[in-house]
Amino acid sequence: MVKNYRPASVGMMPAHPETYILHLYFMENQVEVVKANVIGWQVSSERELTPLVVDPKIMTGDDWFVLHADGRVECSDGRCWDNCDDWITEERRRYRDAA
Protein backbone atom coordinates (compact mmCIF):
# COMPACT_ATOMS: atom_id res chain seq x y z
CA MET A 1 0.00 0.00 0.00
CA VAL A 2 1.31 3.44 -0.94
CA LYS A 3 1.32 5.90 1.93
CA ASN A 4 -0.11 9.36 1.44
CA TYR A 5 1.42 12.05 3.59
CA ARG A 6 -0.94 14.81 2.53
CA PRO A 7 -2.91 16.21 5.45
CA ALA A 8 -6.46 14.99 5.71
CA SER A 9 -9.18 17.36 4.65
CA VAL A 10 -11.91 18.55 6.94
CA GLY A 11 -14.33 19.02 4.09
CA MET A 12 -15.04 19.70 0.46
CA MET A 13 -16.98 22.45 -1.23
CA PRO A 14 -18.03 22.67 -4.87
CA ALA A 15 -16.28 25.01 -7.30
CA HIS A 16 -18.02 27.42 -9.61
CA PRO A 17 -18.55 25.68 -12.99
CA GLU A 18 -16.29 28.20 -14.79
CA THR A 19 -13.27 27.78 -12.51
CA TYR A 20 -10.04 26.39 -13.99
CA ILE A 21 -6.49 25.58 -12.97
CA LEU A 22 -4.06 27.09 -15.48
CA HIS A 23 -0.58 26.00 -16.49
CA LEU A 24 1.79 27.59 -19.01
CA TYR A 25 4.20 25.80 -21.33
CA PHE A 26 6.90 27.90 -22.97
CA MET A 27 8.20 26.84 -26.39
CA GLU A 28 10.64 29.29 -28.01
CA ASN A 29 8.55 32.47 -28.47
CA GLN A 30 5.21 30.70 -28.04
CA VAL A 31 3.18 30.18 -24.89
CA GLU A 32 0.62 27.41 -24.55
CA VAL A 33 -2.06 27.73 -21.88
CA VAL A 34 -3.49 24.47 -20.55
CA LYS A 35 -6.53 24.56 -18.31
CA ALA A 36 -8.39 21.97 -16.27
CA ASN A 37 -11.81 22.24 -14.62
CA VAL A 38 -11.82 22.66 -10.87
CA ILE A 39 -14.48 20.28 -9.61
CA GLY A 40 -14.28 21.30 -5.97
CA TRP A 41 -12.11 22.63 -3.18
CA GLN A 42 -10.60 20.54 -0.39
CA VAL A 43 -10.44 22.43 2.90
CA SER A 44 -7.54 21.44 5.18
CA SER A 45 -7.54 21.64 8.96
CA GLU A 46 -5.33 24.75 8.54
CA ARG A 47 -8.13 26.33 6.45
CA GLU A 48 -6.12 26.10 3.23
CA LEU A 49 -7.85 25.32 -0.04
CA THR A 50 -6.59 22.79 -2.56
CA PRO A 51 -8.34 22.42 -5.91
CA LEU A 52 -9.79 19.05 -6.86
CA VAL A 53 -9.09 18.42 -10.56
CA VAL A 54 -9.42 15.33 -12.75
CA ASP A 55 -5.77 15.51 -13.90
CA PRO A 56 -3.54 16.28 -10.89
CA LYS A 57 -0.46 16.45 -13.17
CA ILE A 58 -1.53 19.96 -14.14
CA MET A 59 -0.61 21.05 -10.61
CA THR A 60 3.15 20.97 -11.08
CA GLY A 61 5.38 23.02 -8.81
CA ASP A 62 4.57 24.77 -5.58
CA ASP A 63 2.36 27.51 -7.01
CA TRP A 64 -0.85 26.94 -8.93
CA PHE A 65 -3.03 29.41 -10.78
CA VAL A 66 -6.82 29.68 -10.82
CA LEU A 67 -8.88 31.30 -13.56
CA HIS A 68 -12.13 32.56 -12.02
CA ALA A 69 -15.41 33.00 -13.87
CA ASP A 70 -15.01 36.80 -13.88
CA GLY A 71 -11.67 36.49 -15.72
CA ARG A 72 -9.33 37.11 -12.78
CA VAL A 73 -6.29 34.89 -12.38
CA GLU A 74 -5.18 34.16 -8.81
CA CYS A 75 -2.03 32.39 -7.62
CA SER A 76 -1.91 30.09 -4.61
CA ASP A 77 0.63 32.50 -3.06
CA GLY A 78 -1.87 35.40 -3.14
CA ARG A 79 -0.78 37.22 -6.29
CA CYS A 80 -3.67 38.27 -8.53
CA TRP A 81 -4.15 39.61 -12.07
CA ASP A 82 -7.18 41.29 -13.61
CA ASN A 83 -7.16 38.98 -16.61
CA CYS A 84 -5.39 36.08 -18.28
CA ASP A 85 -3.40 38.31 -20.66
CA ASP A 86 -1.83 40.25 -17.76
CA TRP A 87 -0.90 36.96 -16.05
CA ILE A 88 0.66 35.51 -19.21
CA THR A 89 2.67 38.72 -19.76
CA GLU A 90 4.11 38.59 -16.24
CA GLU A 91 4.83 34.86 -16.37
CA ARG A 92 6.54 35.27 -19.76
CA ARG A 93 8.72 38.02 -18.26
CA ARG A 94 9.58 35.85 -15.25
CA TYR A 95 10.43 32.93 -17.55
CA ARG A 96 12.76 35.11 -19.67
CA ASP A 97 14.45 36.56 -16.57
CA ALA A 98 15.09 33.07 -15.17
CA ALA A 99 16.71 31.88 -18.42
Side-chain angles (χ1 to χ4, degrees):
M1 174 187 261
V2 177
K3 292 185 179 183
N4 184 348
Y5 294 101
R6 290 180 63 193
S9 72
V10 294
M12 292 289 296
M13 53 192 238
H16 188 279
E18 297 175 39
T19 305
Y20 301 94
I21 290 292
L22 300 176
H23 185 74
L24 291 179
Y25 290 100
F26 296 95
M27 298 165 287
E28 297 175 12
N29 291 330
Q30 301 296 317
V31 177
E32 181 181 354
V33 179
V34 176
K35 63 182 184 178
N37 291 325
V38 177
I39 299 167
W41 296 96
Q42 176 179 312
V43 183
S44 74
S45 58
E46 290 84 29
R47 296 175 47 172
E48 295 174 345
L49 296 178
T50 304
L52 174 62
V53 292
V54 173
D55 183 6
K57 290 181 270 180
I58 197 167
M59 308 235 336
T60 60
D62 294 329
D63 294 334
W64 36 270
F65 301 90
V66 178
L67 174 62
H68 294 281
D70 64 3
R72 288 177 300 119
V73 176
E74 189 173 5
C75 182
S76 58
D77 68 5
R79 292 178 290 152
C80 195
W81 299 266
D82 291 333
N83 57 58
C84 204
D85 290 337
D86 290 348
W87 169 66
I88 291 171
T89 299
E90 184 173 328
E91 290 300 300
R92 182 179 284 164
R93 185 174 28 249
R94 288 171 43 125
Y95 179 77
R96 277 195 310 251
D97 292 347

